[in-house]
Amino acid sequence: AAMAHGHGPGRCRCCCGEEAAERGSAWGLYLRIDRQRLQCLNERREGSGATVFRPWEERGDRSQFVESDDDEELLFNIPFTGSVKLKGVIVMGEDDGTHPAEMRLFRNIPHMSFDDTAKEPEQSFSLSRDPLGQLEYPTKVARFSNVYHLSMHFPKNFGAETTKIFYIGLKGEWTEAHRHEVTICNYEASANPADHKLEQITPQTHFIS
């Protein structure tokens, strides 16, 4: 299989299984989401927003979806466990008015609220209805080459009162190196003052408790 792949994707049209597996692995960024801190604002059922980030092969599972609550807007705050180069997005919904009609992407603004969406996004897309999860929206990679936090704002749909999303696919590359460097630098910079403070405070703290 390795030899066949060496000739590039154009030669591998016959082996559908391999091509599907390769395509599935390309959409593996859901594995790099820090799910403990993932947020979906205006979701009707708590925790349902997280379920739309799953393997590409499972995008057709209609039992897992997020639906908006008060109006048609949805806002995802997606922290990654490292640095991501985002290359493409798939948004899959129903073939009706609940499908989102627009997507706006923001990078590296943690804990965005709906008030923050007044800002200019890094990139915005007009969406087509995609009930099978087949349409890929390519990002301007230069703008999304060092993303540790992605916010996805869906401001409107095709006319329904609420918005429904079944699957969001994120394609790209992930690296952990950058995040570790940041952690180490912060630690070294703050180690010395902290040590001195601890010496002074610790005896009192023990005495109080």
Side-chain angles (χ1 to χ4, degrees):
M3 292 287 290
H5 287 176
H7 294 301
R11 297 281 177 90
C12 199
R13 284 298 141 111
C14 50
C15 40
C16 292
E18 271 180 35
E19 201 171 89
E22 220 169 78
R23 180 151 193 214
S25 66
W27 296 93
L29 280 185
Y30 72 94
L31 292 167
R32 307 303 185 183
I33 294 173
D34 182 349
R35 288 184 179 266
Q36 299 300 313
R37 297 189 299 128
L38 174 71
Q39 280 184 316
C40 179
L41 305 190
N42 197 34
E43 59 183 5
R44 177 167 292 184
R45 200 174 77 252
E46 192 176 340
S48 57
T51 67
V52 304
F53 299 98
R54 56 181 188 269
W56 183 79
E57 297 80 11
E58 295 174 21
R59 67 195 184 288
D61 179 358
R62 313 297 280 189
S63 68
Q64 299 190 72
F65 62 88
V66 62
E67 186 173 3
S68 62
D69 191 15
D70 294 332
D71 54 27
E72 74 276 25
E73 282 191 86
L74 282 169
L75 175 62
F76 292 87
N77 281 318
I78 307 159
F80 293 105
T81 57
S83 175
V84 162
K85 180 188 283 186
L86 183 67
K87 296 180 174 180
V89 180
I90 288 176
V91 180
M92 178 178 152
E94 292 276 27
D95 194 8
D96 63 16
T98 64
H99 194 295
E102 189 183 336
M103 171 174 67
R104 306 167 77 238
L105 301 182
F106 300 83
R107 66 184 277 271
N108 301 344
I109 311 177
H111 311 298
M112 267 191 84
S113 67
F114 283 110
D115 291 341
D116 298 324
T117 60
K119 298 177 185 182
E120 190 68 29
E122 295 291 336
Q123 194 171 354
S124 59
F125 301 84
S126 290
L127 303 181
S128 300
R129 292 181 194 177
D130 185 14
L132 299 176
Q134 294 175 325
L135 300 177
E136 177 183 345
Y137 299 93
T139 61
K140 294 173 181 167
V141 178
R143 294 189 184 184
F144 295 96
S145 60
N146 182 20
V147 180
Y148 58 84
H149 187 283
L150 177 70
S151 296
M152 308 181 78
H153 178 220
F154 297 94
K156 60 185 181 184
N157 59 25
F158 286 96
E161 286 182 17
T162 59
T163 296
K164 254 187 181 180
I165 297 174
F166 287 91
Y167 169 80
I168 295 177
L170 301 174
K171 183 170 86 170
E173 298 167 15
W174 175 84
T175 45
E176 62 177 336
H178 184 68
R179 209 51 196 264
H180 279 286
E181 281 167 28
V182 172
T183 312
I184 291 162
C185 294
N186 287 351
Y187 178 74
E188 285 172 358
S190 60
N192 294 345
D195 289 350
H196 293 304
K197 278 184 198 154
L198 279 173
E199 284 165 20
Q200 297 160 9
I201 293 166
T202 308
Q204 287 184 319
T205 312
H206 284 304
F207 177 70
I208 289 163
S209 58

